[in-house]
Amino acid sequence: MANPVNKRFYTKINLLSLFFLSYPLVANSYNPDYNIAISCGSLKNTSGLDHRIWVGDSIDNSKIFSFIEPKTKNLSFNTKPISTYTNILYTTARVSHSNFTYSISTITTSPVFIRLHFYPSSYQNFDPSNALFSVQVNNNLTLLKNFNPLLWLDHVDDVTPIIKEYCIQIKPNEKLNITFIPNNINHSNPCYAFVNGIEVVSMPQFLYYSAPDYHFNYLTLNSNEYQIHSDSALEMVYRVNVGQNQVPTNQDTGMFRNWEADYPLYLEKQYPQSLSSDFGERVNYSLNTNPNYTAPEDVYRTSRSYGMDSTEDYNVTWNFEVDSTFTYMVRLHFCEYDYHIRIAGDRVFQIFINDTLAEETADVILWAGGRLIPVHKDYAVSMYSQEGNSKIERVNLSIKLQRLPKSMSYVFTNYHEVILNGIEIFKISDTNYSLAGSNRKSIILNPKQQFLPSEKSKKSILVVVVVVVSCFLLASVIGMIVFVRRRRRFESHPEMEESTRRIKKEGSSTLPSHLCRYFTIAEIKAATNNFDEIFIIGVGGFGNVYKGYIDGVTPVAIKRLKPGSQQGVNEFMNEIELLSQLRHIHLVSLIGYCNDGVEMILVYDFMQRGTLREYLYGSDNERLTWKQRLEILLGAARGLHYLHTGAKHSIIHRDVKSTNILLDEKWVAKVSDFGLSKAGPTGMAMTHVSTVVKGSIGYLDPEYYLRQRLTLKSDVYSFGVVLLEVLCARPPLVRSSEKKKASLVIWFQRCYKQGLIVEELVDPFIKDSITSESLKCYCQMVLSCLHDDGNQRMSMSDVVGALEFALQLVTTEEDSKFGWTKEKEKSEQRLLPHFTSEDGSDVFTSSSDDYGSQTSKVSTISTSTEGQPMLSATVFSEIGNPKAR
């Protein structure tokens, strides 16, 4: 029952419709006894898209909830985001550097939903990257810890709300206190907490919590005795409508739940005929043991299946990223509405959850008792990283449907089919009564947050550095002596050297040690002083990168997969198989590898000068001249061109970015990190490779992202982003910038299209050294690389030619300050080749005699009939007006 005090208050102020369900456009199956929605930071009540009134927290609602904060100088305040969202809820926020609490009046109904709404935008002078905080309920349940909403965005180009939903039990006559706690790790520039909206909505007693006589399977322990007790809290991590579009909050069964679409975010592959839509019949709840509020009817009237006529054998698979070290309740929703399926046994299939057989003979008709009757099945599964390594924070939870194997002939089924209508996944609180997991991405603090060491700490650091360097030099001398002595022994006993080689070879029989050196883990530890942190020169998704000395003398870069992790095994194997067979002046060379137990390690040539990005922004390194930048880009382009055309099979890098272009001591560029690379399309009929989207945000080819079709031109797009990075000296994405400038690509294309002065985007350090002619040439090349239609982009061969021409322009401009000479014009005429693009139009010409050394080319760009820049046979004379096709 509803709280009588609240009811009297609502009646007294005539606001019953503000806090109770304002019936949506669809009939509700459940009317919550308690329903309050708070618009944080708002000075007035507002009407939401869910047909509810959201109460402003800056007006007097003391009988419903109270706002509590300590009496400090850092009081909270209401503010508005710099960029606005269409939903009025996200136009205000409550922000504070100190703790603050929303105390909800006594709630007699239990359990309840708690939903927290976050819009990760900039608020006045608050950088969204500094939003780092925890959320607790009644000082005993932790919902979030070190949470940064910015890191939960699916698409960084568009800031969208992040909604966290929880189910908790309230003790009788207890208030609900929700406290936001900033993580003040740096008092000189403290972090802050914020929230845009809070919902508290009651739910049926046994919707997700288990009734006394209800048990379900615990797959991890092969037990069917699992229950969700009232002393547990739940976090809804995924709620998916399988086979159809999203079911929004105002079309739920009265509890304002949102049901996402399963494709393309979670469904691994959408097969032909796998989408089943409803047949126009209504779902039958009269014979159903499950209440009609369990899920909306729209969920049960659509599904995924094989398709009756499918002959291909595959699994229908959904993948969900979750926190490790937690137990999850997985709820699968079914409703058999296909008119072919009428009796038990007509459709029998298998269900695997996290690769564990959950149902050997799943039969929806048998479970439900007939057609058009909804039913759900619950399962518990504990998620741990491989080898029990708790440092792996995010792992994959998969749900797979499989047709009944032919070997199970004893089970008769008329249709070798599968079906699933909906998925819900809930995290269950751990023994510490916490639901806090990791952020989706690692937190990178704003540069302003970096700690400035005191004079005392500076002296301590200096002493430590001197000691470490001294020890390192001593170790190097000893290593040199050992190396010389071993070499002499091997020279006098060649059979000993052969024996040592054989031992290294046999360290891993599955990897190509005959193409590169196999290192023992002892050798790797010796090279890195047992993985001493002082030798770390980089950190990536794969793991730490160390500088080491092989055999005591040869400097190398050692990339170590996080021990025990299975998430990078494919990348590890892929990189060895590719790089051990590829050799090119502009590709980083693989020296060897170590595969010893849980250790997977790659050893490369050491690149003295680090990454290209370090010389563009984000470091104290000296900036590169325009000519240096072109030379580095040309080298990287030649390396990629070799991958595309020079190897035995074309190879798509799939992760081209400025941090994967390394520089040696002579400033020679080398492409690195081939863990995501794939073999390109083969044969005349094959134009692309269908694959799950992988790569780096900001560099992804939009055509690849939307259609999951990977082509050689996907690398060209990513390289086009690098070209822009080099020109503008800023990252591809800057979330803290105003929305129109957040994406470098979109900003550049908009400026170009609208005829604005592109020079404003150019890095001031090189601005004076680029002539208008050079800039036109370069911009046209960038626009061609970034074309939405992959067929209209240049090939890497064309990019090489265009960069050679751009570099030749710089050389000529250095020779003559007064423009082109007649002799130069003649040389350009001789260099001008002819090329036909994939769609048959004249675009560009390029020829080469060797992948490391190519003849110069001249390329020019004009405007196509659609307004998109194209290369033509005239010298970069006019800048076109590009438009998306």
Side-chain angles (χ1 to χ4, degrees), residues 180-346:
F180 297 80
I181 309 168
N183 185 355
N184 291 319
I185 58 176
N186 182 4
H187 295 290
S188 63
N189 188 20
C191 298
Y192 67 93
F194 78 97
V195 63
N196 299 87
I198 299 174
E199 296 177 66
V200 181
V201 181
S202 61
M203 71 172 77
Q205 181 70 37
F206 301 120
L207 175 62
Y208 298 117
Y209 287 91
S210 302
D213 58 346
Y214 178 70
H215 301 78
F216 54 91
N217 289 340
Y218 189 12
L219 301 179
T220 307
L221 297 181
N222 295 318
S223 168
N224 59 356
E225 296 296 320
Y226 199 89
Q227 287 186 304
I228 305 294
H229 297 290
S230 60
D231 59 353
S232 296
L234 305 176
E235 178 186 352
M236 189 285 298
V237 285
Y238 296 100
R239 181 178 287 124
V240 173
N241 178 25
V242 171
Q244 191 61 347
N245 297 327
Q246 173 190 16
V247 179
T249 56
N250 62 342
Q251 294 179 25
D252 188 40
T253 56
M255 290 168 276
F256 307 101
R257 297 171 297 178
N258 177 61
W259 299 76
E260 295 182 274
D262 68 335
Y263 185 79
L265 289 179
Y266 311 116
L267 184 66
E268 189 170 278
K269 184 177 180 181
Q270 183 168 243
Y271 292 89
Q273 302 181 358
S274 69
L275 176 64
S276 301
S277 57
D278 68 81
F279 290 82
E281 299 179 80
R282 298 303 301 271
V283 174
N284 183 357
Y285 288 105
S286 61
L287 301 176
N288 189 14
T289 57
N290 293 330
N292 59 0
Y293 51 68
T294 304
E297 189 170 351
D298 283 347
V299 171
Y300 290 122
R301 293 170 66 180
T302 61
S303 69
R304 295 275 177 190
S305 64
Y306 268 85
M308 289 294 185
D309 301 325
S310 178
T311 58
E312 185 180 357
D313 196 22
Y314 55 84
N315 289 331
V316 184
T317 303
W318 294 262
N319 292 301
F320 301 93
E321 188 182 62
V322 297
D323 291 314
S324 66
T325 71
F326 282 92
T327 297
Y328 293 83
M329 181 182 80
V330 178
R331 172 167 291 183
L332 305 181
H333 295 267
F334 303 93
C335 184
E336 191 62 86
Y337 54 77
D338 193 321
Y339 66 89
H340 295 96
I341 314 298
R342 296 189 172 275
I343 62 174
D346 276 355

Side-chain angles (χ1 to χ4, degrees), residues 708-741:
Q708 294 184 308
R709 293 184 172 184
L710 182 67
T711 69
L712 296 173
K713 297 297 183 70
S714 299
D715 278 352
V716 174
Y717 182 91
S718 301
F719 192 73
V721 179
V722 174
L723 291 172
L724 264 188
E725 253 186 299
V726 168
L727 179 68
C728 305
R730 57 148 278 184
L733 294 168
V734 180
R735 298 186 181 98
S736 58
S737 295
E738 57 182 296
K739 190 171 183 179
K740 68 177 183 179
K741 296 181 180 180

